[in-house]
Amino acid sequence: MEDVLALVEARLRTALGEPDARAAVTFLGTDRVEVLRFLDRGGDGDIVRYATLGMSAHPMTDPTAALADPVKGPRAELVLSVRAGLADTDKVLRPLAVLAASPQVEGVVVAPGASLDVGGPLWPDAPFSSVLVAESGGLVEDLELDGPIDPVRFLPLLPMTSNEAAWKRVHGAQELQERWLTHGTDLRDPLRRSVTLD
């Protein structure tokens, strides 16, 4: 487990640079989950990225499986990117840790296209309480591990308003992403409004 997490952290540092902050959260009956904060000073404004560390220590198991395989199964970490300085987004650390612990706590398999809900705003006054899990392989490349262990996928999280989450349940993740693309939605804007859904 420690070896996997050391490799995961090294991959995050290679892709995102040195973290400027980190926080750890432990839930009863689960391993510790850390959230690392990275600041990306780019030409189009500063972006802050939050990445979980700890979710990939164990493979995610289908809740209907009779026996959990301790080695085989999908592994993932979560990555959230938002524009810095517009909202108190550092308060997202605990909600992110809750989502990262959900495979251990609730036996869910987090995969692209899924909706994850934290039951409240992602950060103070955030218009989002849920996220859409996007495909891996963009910002942080998948981390191949020695077989038979599955690779660790770094899954981007896209914040959704309650209207978008409801629309996605009816029309699907692909339709919502196409709607965002069509309207030029800045998914990293922590204050954005819901995309037009009529």
Side-chain angles (χ1 to χ4, degrees):
M1 177 184 103
E2 295 301 325
D3 290 347
V4 170
L5 294 185
L7 292 169
V8 167
E9 183 167 354
R11 174 57 55 91
L12 286 169
R13 287 172 183 267
T14 299
L16 305 176
E18 287 298 310
D20 66 352
R22 64 195 303 153
V25 181
T26 305
F27 303 99
L28 190 64
T30 68
D31 295 328
R32 184 171 82 155
V33 174
E34 288 189 272
V35 180
L36 280 56
R37 180 184 187 272
F38 302 85
L39 187 59
D40 179 3
R41 297 189 178 279
D44 61 344
D46 294 350
I47 303 293
V48 61
R49 306 190 195 279
Y50 303 95
T52 63
L53 179 63
M55 182 176 170
S56 61
H58 304 285
M60 293 181 277
T61 305
D62 186 328
T64 62
L67 194 62
D69 189 317
V71 178
K72 288 189 69 65
R75 294 174 189 254
E77 297 290 353
L78 308 175
V79 181
L80 174 70
S81 301
V82 291
R83 294 198 178 281
L86 301 178
D88 189 10
T89 55
D90 281 349
K91 296 288 196 309
V92 78
L93 299 178
R94 186 168 179 80
L96 269 184
V98 168
L99 295 179
S102 62
Q104 281 188 70
V105 175
E106 300 169 30
V108 298
V109 175
V110 177
S115 300
L116 304 176
D117 196 297
V118 298
L122 286 173
W123 51 82
D125 300 320
F128 322 104
S129 63
S130 62
V131 292
L132 175 65
V133 181
E135 292 285 347
S136 67
L139 187 64
V140 185
E141 283 185 34
D142 296 347
L143 173 64
E144 297 292 335
L145 300 171
D146 292 337
I149 303 174
D150 287 27
V152 176
R153 305 198 184 287
F154 298 88
L155 301 172
L157 300 180
L158 309 175
M160 294 188 291
T161 66
S162 57
N163 286 346
E164 290 169 340
W167 198 85
K168 181 255 176 190
R169 280 193 292 276
V170 174
H171 299 279
Q174 185 65 38
E175 290 288 326
L176 178 58
Q177 288 179 294
E178 286 177 14
R179 181 64 55 116
W180 283 334
L181 196 59
T182 300
H183 289 269
T185 306
D186 181 3
L187 296 173
R188 297 179 298 190
D189 180 354
L191 304 173
R192 74 171 182 86
R193 297 184 184 280
S194 184
V195 71
T196 304
L197 296 170
D198 50 10

